[in-house]
Amino acid sequence: MAENINAGYGDAVIVHDVSVKVNEGEIVAIVGPNGSGKSTLLKSLLGFAKLFRGRVSYQGKDITGIACDRAVSLGIGYVPQTNNIFPNLTISENLDMGAYRTKGKASIKAGMTEIYGMFPELEARKNALAGNLSGGERQMLAIARAMMAQPRVLLLDEPLASLSPKPASAILSKLDKIKGAGVAIVMVEQNVNKALSVSNRGYVLVNGECAMEGDADSLFAEESSRQRFLGLETKGIDTSLPSVHN
């Protein structure tokens, strides 16, 4: 999906020669310490960060430099870490906004029914203002809204940020279901343990470079790699080994 990406902001290059791929029905986690370029890499794929060099492809086609709205129409969904819902709209109205490219009320209604089936918590409060939701509910809504466009690839920027264990686990459960529906997911996440617990593969970014990649269940199997990439360089991150299910 992303080949030899160099990206950043202004004249500053933050990501250096990073390549990432994701397959259908697979979750790929991009992890690493704060400031390692994880979010910048994700944003560069859709033009929210400057792409200095590299190639972005989707289903075998070169889409380098594509505008975000065009990417959505092709089947690429994106959920930013913040400002990812409309707080003054209800849950159902937010989902309607996610289906803005869908034609026909019947298609939108069918999509809404499918999403509510996956997110029954949202249906129970569909008339509630999004601004009144908890942090976990907001993240659920943001993901559900992106899913209304029926993406084949879903890009998530720190979906577990600031969430306590229970809502974080609920979000991961939803991602596992989305993966089961055949959607490819690329997830940037600070919580290494939780991210890898639902991922098939992972990439470790350190100082803007890909320091390591591999299967999620073996990525940090070596104690030396845990100390090197999740020790002093990533102070504060949960470093316990995950129990991976694929």
Side-chain angles (χ1 to χ4, degrees), residues 11 14 23-24 27 49 64 86 93 111-112 141 150 162 174 206 210 238 241:
D11 295 327
I14 296 173
N23 301 312
E24 181 179 341
I27 298 180
T64 308
F86 298 100
E93 289 169 339
M112 193 87 74
L141 177 57
Q150 299 181 322
S162 302
K174 301 301 182 186
V206 177
C210 184
D238 179 359
L241 285 176

Side-chain angles (χ1 to χ4, degrees), residues 35 53 115 121 241:
R53 184 169 66 85
I115 291 301
E121 304 92 336
L241 285 176

Side-chain angles (χ1 to χ4, degrees), residues 10-86:
D11 295 327
V13 181
I14 296 173
V15 176
H16 304 271
D17 200 32
V18 174
S19 298
V20 173
K21 67 177 180 178
V22 62
N23 301 312
E24 181 179 341
E26 179 181 56
I27 298 180
V28 167
I30 301 175
V31 300
N34 282 327
S36 60
K38 304 184 302 295
S39 293
T40 300
L41 172 62
L42 203 66
K43 292 175 181 177
S44 72
L45 305 183
L46 297 176
F48 297 121
K50 186 174 181 179
L51 183 62
F52 294 97
R53 184 169 66 85
R55 178 176 180 268
V56 182
S57 60
Y58 173 68
Q59 295 186 334
K61 297 180 180 180
D62 189 336
I63 61 168
T64 308
I66 194 171
C68 186
D69 60 338
R70 175 61 179 156
V72 171
S73 68
L74 289 179
I76 302 173
Y78 171 64
V79 180
Q81 180 180 348
T82 59
N83 301 319
N84 52 23
I85 61 167
F86 298 100

Side-chain angles (χ1 to χ4, degrees), residues 92-136:
S92 62
E93 289 169 339
N94 268 270
L95 295 179
D96 275 335
M97 293 295 290
Y100 74 99
R101 285 188 171 274
T102 303
K103 297 180 179 180
K105 291 184 178 180
S107 295
I108 295 175
K109 185 177 180 180
M112 193 87 74
T113 299
E114 183 177 351
I115 291 301
Y116 280 147
M118 187 176 291
F119 297 87
E121 304 92 336
L122 297 180
E123 184 176 22
R125 303 188 62 191
K126 62 183 179 182
N127 295 320
L129 283 178
N132 294 332
L133 301 178
S134 67

